[in-house]
């Protein structure tokens, strides 16, 4: 068995990668919302923070009642307890990646977690 898994994300409005890639430490989804649409509910989490990266378009997030404008290139971290809802722009769609992981779980990263092979 290979030490990697690969998948291709098609044109689906939402693709969750945890099952497709066998993820064990995070949930990642790739999302596209048409112009004028929104996530149809407000939500929070019990223990997972979310990181959003805007891939194209623009829109906004409403987090604990505060409007946060979003556009291509923006990255946003949202604490678990924050109440959030996402909206595409009135006249433009928005595509984004959402990474969900347990808050305070990062034990090492980049060079701290790397093993240089000879």
């Amino acid at each position: 068995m290979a030490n990697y898994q690969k998948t291709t994300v098609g044109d689906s409005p939402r693709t969750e990668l945890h099952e497709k890639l066998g993820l064990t430490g995070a949930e990642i989804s790739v999302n596209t919302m048409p112009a004028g649409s929104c996530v149809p509910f407000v939500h929070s989490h019990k223990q997972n923070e979310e990181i959003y990266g805007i891939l194209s378009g623009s829109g906004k997030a409403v987090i604990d009642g505060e409007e946060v404008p979003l556009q291509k290139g923006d990255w946003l971290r949202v604490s678990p307890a924050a109440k959030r809802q996402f909206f595409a722009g009135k006249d433009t769609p928005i595509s984004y990646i959402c990474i969900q992981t347990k808050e305070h779980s990062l034990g090492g990263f980049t060079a701290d977690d790397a093993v240089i092979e000879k």
Side-chain angles (χ1 to χ4, degrees):
M1 182 169 148
N3 285 329
Y4 67 90
Q5 287 185 275
K6 178 184 174 187
T7 190
T8 300
V9 175
D11 293 331
S12 175
R14 179 176 172 86
T15 301
E16 294 180 352
L17 297 177
H18 69 276
E19 288 182 9
K20 292 180 180 288
L21 293 176
L23 300 177
T24 63
E27 165 61 298
I28 301 172
S29 63
V30 182
N31 306 271
T32 299
M33 295 191 317
S37 69
C38 68
V39 173
F41 52 85
V42 175
H43 76 286
S44 61
H45 287 275
K46 295 175 185 173
Q47 57 184 342
N48 292 341
E49 64 186 5
E50 290 181 319
I51 301 96
Y52 294 87
I54 309 308
L55 303 174
S56 66
S58 63
K60 69 179 179 182
V62 176
I63 303 170
D64 292 335
E66 180 181 341
E67 284 193 17
V68 180
L70 299 170
Q71 63 184 8
K72 180 181 176 181
D74 287 347
W75 285 86
L76 173 69
R77 179 201 170 267
V78 183
S79 296
K83 294 176 178 73
R84 71 211 70 178
Q85 187 176 18
F86 289 82
F87 298 81
K90 185 176 181 181
D91 299 318
T92 182
I94 189 170
S95 293
Y96 60 93
I97 186 170
C98 178
I99 303 164
Q100 188 180 129
T101 188
K102 186 175 178 182
E103 187 177 44
H104 305 297
S105 65
L106 186 62
F109 57 94
T110 321
D112 293 340
D113 190 54
V115 176
I116 306 300
E117 303 291 335
K118 296 181 183 193

